[in-house]
Amino acid sequence: MNQAVFTLFGASGDLAKRKLYPSLYRLYKSGVIKENFAVIGTARRPWTKAYFEGIVVDAIGNLATSKSDAQKFASHFYYQSHDVTDSEHYLTLKNLQDELCDKYQTNHNKIFFLAMAPEFFGTIASHLKSENIVDGQGFERLIIEKPFGTSLATAEKLNEELAQAFDENQIFRIDHYLGKEMIQNIFAVRFANILFENVWNRDFIDNIQITFAESIGVEERGGYYETSGALKDMVQNHILQVLSLLAMDKPNSFSGSDILPEKIKVLQNLRMPNDDDFVRAQYTAGTISDHTYKAYVDEDNVANNSKVDTFASGVFFVDTERFRDVPFFFRTGKRLTEKGTRINISFKQDTNIFGQMLENNVLTIYIQPTEGFSLTLNGKEVGKTFEMAPIKLDYRHDAETLGNSPEAYEKLIFDVLNGDSTNFSRWEEVQASWTLIDKVIETWATDKTPLYYYKAGSMGPRESFELLEKYHTTWLWTP
Ligand code: BG6
């Protein structure tokens, strides 16, 4: 049974309400956490415990089995108005933590969750140490939200700051994509199917295409996005993590300690990109499902001459024996045609006895909004002549309709409770990915790669399609 006091920095934030409270509730409902847990929510606002409980009850909404159950769950939540730079406040926090540890018999186990502006991460870590909140009793684990730095240098600085209070094996850097059902399923597809395991290499795979498309714009996050852009927001973390799962060698076992070195090997063997390997672009006004959306530069908190990328696309190469010279194409962007996260693995075609050109076999992994797989095979068309045609084997379901796919955060918090860091970004991965992304940003800063534009509702600029043509292929998914 799991016992812990969670201290959450950023308790009034959007992430806490949308993801964390519902995820904790689902863990509670399934019995992963029962009586022996408490949550200390901290933020600057002067909330009372009762008010905070109301926020939590609202956040779990109709997930709750009954009103009384929701209230019982929320009674485990305590609130402290907290200024992260004020040492006095940490003393109060320490007292509350000790009191709750006794009250809920949590064995001194502590989980700290940093879900707020990253500039405070270092200050919080050093206070947690100096005020003895991290005191070496029970397990002590830190969950930290992205972004982990904005460059290699800032990531290194942040890492050093966290190291004042936590060892690497106590730090759980969230990349919520690693908690997604179908991303975790990449392991199953690759290593539980002899059909794929033996052909998952440069001899048989022609190219891999990763599409993380979003139809939403920057919403109310213009301020953050102006300092980030698609490359830092999605590629440095989510896309490179997924790429490492697709490209890694087979680990000796399905354990974090065996998987991690294989993932790191991929990231450390990424070939440094050429200037024309990447395309960046920004959305202009356009229409999605009969609704007209404004241009990025007209969004709130965005400079009207902003050159920030809302779309990034490109090609990666992994210089390992397994994948040398196989292009891994990717594209991600806001205000694209529709929300769709999927991976296409296109296999090479061999010479054949039919005297006809055959389509490549394609394995598609659908991550969201539907989850599942499809596999395109070549078969004979019905009829007297022998014409070949692609046939699609499709297995998909709508995760939300079935309601059986745990929310990524639920799975990730479960992993932290169990001390399992397999689905988190480790420092060496972060280091390797920033090294590469820094290089791209350096090139972009010199304007060697122009900023292109695309209409809201399209799948990005023409240049992203032309990039694949250079490799004699096309995007397989064209919604
Ligand atoms: C976040 C990005 O990490 O991922 C957001 O900061 C993006 O900009 C989001 O919208 C996408 O996540 P999901 O789970 O909706 O695909």
PDB file of all heavy atoms in Angstrom, residues 67-80:
ATOM      1  N   LYS A  67     -20.856  12.318  -4.240  1.00  0.00           N
ATOM      2  CA  LYS A  67     -20.411  13.578  -3.672  1.00  0.00           C
ATOM      3  C   LYS A  67     -19.614  13.314  -2.391  1.00  0.00           C
ATOM      4  O   LYS A  67     -18.565  13.911  -2.150  1.00  0.00           O
ATOM      5  CB  LYS A  67     -21.641  14.448  -3.373  1.00  0.00           C
ATOM      6  CG  LYS A  67     -21.266  15.859  -3.111  1.00  0.00           C
ATOM      7  CD  LYS A  67     -22.419  16.818  -3.410  1.00  0.00           C
ATOM      8  CE  LYS A  67     -21.916  18.230  -3.215  1.00  0.00           C
ATOM      9  NZ  LYS A  67     -22.577  18.999  -2.236  1.00  0.00           N
ATOM     10  N   SER A  68     -20.106  12.386  -1.597  1.00  0.00           N
ATOM     11  CA  SER A  68     -19.433  12.140  -0.317  1.00  0.00           C
ATOM     12  C   SER A  68     -18.054  11.515  -0.549  1.00  0.00           C
ATOM     13  O   SER A  68     -17.096  11.790   0.168  1.00  0.00           O
ATOM     14  CB  SER A  68     -20.293  11.268   0.589  1.00  0.00           C
ATOM     15  OG  SER A  68     -20.457  10.011  -0.002  1.00  0.00           O
ATOM     16  N   ASP A  69     -17.946  10.696  -1.586  1.00  0.00           N
ATOM     17  CA  ASP A  69     -16.643  10.106  -1.886  1.00  0.00           C
ATOM     18  C   ASP A  69     -15.645  11.196  -2.309  1.00  0.00           C
ATOM     19  O   ASP A  69     -14.491  11.212  -1.881  1.00  0.00           O
ATOM     20  CB  ASP A  69     -16.795   9.070  -3.006  1.00  0.00           C
ATOM     21  CG  ASP A  69     -15.562   8.199  -3.133  1.00  0.00           C
ATOM     22  OD1 ASP A  69     -15.109   7.670  -2.091  1.00  0.00           O
ATOM     23  OD2 ASP A  69     -15.027   8.075  -4.255  1.00  0.00           O
ATOM     24  N   ALA A  70     -16.147  12.134  -3.139  1.00  0.00           N
ATOM     25  CA  ALA A  70     -15.291  13.234  -3.584  1.00  0.00           C
ATOM     26  C   ALA A  70     -14.838  14.062  -2.380  1.00  0.00           C
ATOM     27  O   ALA A  70     -13.674  14.447  -2.269  1.00  0.00           O
ATOM     28  CB  ALA A  70     -16.051  14.113  -4.564  1.00  0.00           C
ATOM     29  N   GLN A  71     -15.762  14.284  -1.452  1.00  0.00           N
ATOM     30  CA  GLN A  71     -15.417  15.100  -0.279  1.00  0.00           C
ATOM     31  C   GLN A  71     -14.439  14.373   0.641  1.00  0.00           C
ATOM     32  O   GLN A  71     -13.530  14.962   1.201  1.00  0.00           O
ATOM     33  CB  GLN A  71     -16.687  15.495   0.474  1.00  0.00           C
ATOM     34  CG  GLN A  71     -17.338  16.694  -0.196  1.00  0.00           C
ATOM     35  CD  GLN A  71     -18.785  16.895   0.197  1.00  0.00           C
ATOM     36  OE1 GLN A  71     -19.405  16.010   0.806  1.00  0.00           O
ATOM     37  NE2 GLN A  71     -19.327  18.046  -0.155  1.00  0.00           N
ATOM     38  N   LYS A  72     -14.633  13.080   0.747  1.00  0.00           N
ATOM     39  CA  LYS A  72     -13.726  12.279   1.583  1.00  0.00           C
ATOM     40  C   LYS A  72     -12.298  12.359   1.005  1.00  0.00           C
ATOM     41  O   LYS A  72     -11.325  12.555   1.719  1.00  0.00           O
ATOM     42  CB  LYS A  72     -14.221  10.831   1.597  1.00  0.00           C
ATOM     43  CG  LYS A  72     -13.527   9.972   2.606  1.00  0.00           C
ATOM     44  CD  LYS A  72     -14.342   8.696   2.876  1.00  0.00           C
ATOM     45  CE  LYS A  72     -13.478   7.700   3.610  1.00  0.00           C
ATOM     46  NZ  LYS A  72     -13.277   6.450   2.920  1.00  0.00           N
ATOM     47  N   PHE A  73     -12.231  12.214  -0.323  1.00  0.00           N
ATOM     48  CA  PHE A  73     -10.932  12.325  -0.997  1.00  0.00           C
ATOM     49  C   PHE A  73     -10.335  13.715  -0.766  1.00  0.00           C
ATOM     50  O   PHE A  73      -9.180  13.856  -0.363  1.00  0.00           O
ATOM     51  CB  PHE A  73     -11.145  12.056  -2.491  1.00  0.00           C
ATOM     52  CG  PHE A  73      -9.975  12.397  -3.373  1.00  0.00           C
ATOM     53  CD1 PHE A  73      -8.825  11.612  -3.380  1.00  0.00           C
ATOM     54  CD2 PHE A  73     -10.015  13.499  -4.229  1.00  0.00           C
ATOM     55  CE1 PHE A  73      -7.747  11.918  -4.201  1.00  0.00           C
ATOM     56  CE2 PHE A  73      -8.945  13.817  -5.056  1.00  0.00           C
ATOM     57  CZ  PHE A  73      -7.808  13.021  -5.030  1.00  0.00           C
ATOM     58  N   ALA A  74     -11.151  14.743  -0.969  1.00  0.00           N
ATOM     59  CA  ALA A  74     -10.654  16.123  -0.853  1.00  0.00           C
ATOM     60  C   ALA A  74     -10.241  16.458   0.577  1.00  0.00           C
ATOM     61  O   ALA A  74      -9.423  17.360   0.800  1.00  0.00           O
ATOM     62  CB  ALA A  74     -11.717  17.099  -1.348  1.00  0.00           C
ATOM     63  N   SER A  75     -10.753  15.723   1.552  1.00  0.00           N
ATOM     64  CA  SER A  75     -10.375  16.026   2.944  1.00  0.00           C
ATOM     65  C   SER A  75      -8.889  15.754   3.178  1.00  0.00           C
ATOM     66  O   SER A  75      -8.302  16.229   4.136  1.00  0.00           O
ATOM     67  CB  SER A  75     -11.238  15.205   3.919  1.00  0.00           C
ATOM     68  OG  SER A  75     -10.853  13.840   3.856  1.00  0.00           O
ATOM     69  N   HIS A  76      -8.260  15.004   2.274  1.00  0.00           N
ATOM     70  CA  HIS A  76      -6.817  14.746   2.398  1.00  0.00           C
ATOM     71  C   HIS A  76      -5.976  15.924   1.890  1.00  0.00           C
ATOM     72  O   HIS A  76      -4.757  15.862   1.920  1.00  0.00           O
ATOM     73  CB  HIS A  76      -6.442  13.500   1.579  1.00  0.00           C
ATOM     74  CG  HIS A  76      -6.935  12.207   2.161  1.00  0.00           C
ATOM     75  ND1 HIS A  76      -6.112  11.290   2.766  1.00  0.00           N
ATOM     76  CD2 HIS A  76      -8.178  11.680   2.229  1.00  0.00           C
ATOM     77  CE1 HIS A  76      -6.820  10.249   3.169  1.00  0.00           C
ATOM     78  NE2 HIS A  76      -8.081  10.463   2.855  1.00  0.00           N
ATOM     79  N   PHE A  77      -6.650  16.958   1.388  1.00  0.00           N
ATOM     80  CA  PHE A  77      -5.921  18.084   0.785  1.00  0.00           C
ATOM     81  C   PHE A  77      -5.819  19.265   1.757  1.00  0.00           C
ATOM     82  O   PHE A  77      -6.810  19.683   2.336  1.00  0.00           O
ATOM     83  CB  PHE A  77      -6.617  18.533  -0.513  1.00  0.00           C
ATOM     84  CG  PHE A  77      -6.380  17.590  -1.663  1.00  0.00           C
ATOM     85  CD1 PHE A  77      -6.886  16.298  -1.643  1.00  0.00           C
ATOM     86  CD2 PHE A  77      -5.636  17.984  -2.768  1.00  0.00           C
ATOM     87  CE1 PHE A  77      -6.662  15.412  -2.693  1.00  0.00           C
ATOM     88  CE2 PHE A  77      -5.406  17.108  -3.826  1.00  0.00           C
ATOM     89  CZ  PHE A  77      -5.920  15.828  -3.787  1.00  0.00           C
ATOM     90  N   TYR A  78      -4.618  19.799   1.866  1.00  0.00           N
ATOM     91  CA  TYR A  78      -4.339  20.933   2.771  1.00  0.00           C
ATOM     92  C   TYR A  78      -3.723  22.032   1.938  1.00  0.00           C
ATOM     93  O   TYR A  78      -3.041  21.764   0.945  1.00  0.00           O
ATOM     94  CB  TYR A  78      -3.370  20.489   3.875  1.00  0.00           C
ATOM     95  CG  TYR A  78      -4.008  19.463   4.784  1.00  0.00           C
ATOM     96  CD1 TYR A  78      -4.161  18.139   4.354  1.00  0.00           C
ATOM     97  CD2 TYR A  78      -4.522  19.819   6.028  1.00  0.00           C
ATOM     98  CE1 TYR A  78      -4.792  17.199   5.148  1.00  0.00           C
ATOM     99  CE2 TYR A  78      -5.158  18.879   6.834  1.00  0.00           C
ATOM    100  CZ  TYR A  78      -5.290  17.573   6.383  1.00  0.00           C
ATOM    101  OH  TYR A  78      -5.927  16.657   7.173  1.00  0.00           O
ATOM    102  N   TYR A  79      -3.951  23.243   2.354  1.00  0.00           N
ATOM    103  CA  TYR A  79      -3.450  24.343   1.536  1.00  0.00           C
ATOM    104  C   TYR A  79      -2.532  25.255   2.339  1.00  0.00           C
ATOM    105  O   TYR A  79      -2.784  25.526   3.516  1.00  0.00           O
ATOM    106  CB  TYR A  79      -4.621  25.177   0.986  1.00  0.00           C
ATOM    107  CG  TYR A  79      -4.139  26.245   0.042  1.00  0.00           C
ATOM    108  CD1 TYR A  79      -3.791  25.928  -1.265  1.00  0.00           C
ATOM    109  CD2 TYR A  79      -4.000  27.568   0.471  1.00  0.00           C
ATOM    110  CE1 TYR A  79      -3.311  26.899  -2.130  1.00  0.00           C
ATOM    111  CE2 TYR A  79      -3.525  28.542  -0.398  1.00  0.00           C
ATOM    112  CZ  TYR A  79      -3.180  28.201  -1.697  1.00  0.00           C
ATOM    113  OH  TYR A  79      -2.701  29.155  -2.545  1.00  0.00           O
ATOM    114  N   GLN A  80      -1.455  25.678   1.702  1.00  0.00           N
ATOM    115  CA  GLN A  80      -0.623  26.693   2.340  1.00  0.00           C
ATOM    116  C   GLN A  80      -0.275  27.793   1.351  1.00  0.00           C
ATOM    117  O   GLN A  80       0.292  27.525   0.278  1.00  0.00           O
ATOM    118  CB  GLN A  80       0.665  26.078   2.873  1.00  0.00           C
ATOM    119  CG  GLN A  80       1.311  27.029   3.872  1.00  0.00           C
ATOM    120  CD  GLN A  80       2.798  26.836   4.005  1.00  0.00           C
ATOM    121  OE1 GLN A  80       3.235  25.720   4.248  1.00  0.00           O
ATOM    122  NE2 GLN A  80       3.554  27.906   3.842  1.00  0.00           N
TER     123      GLN A  80
END
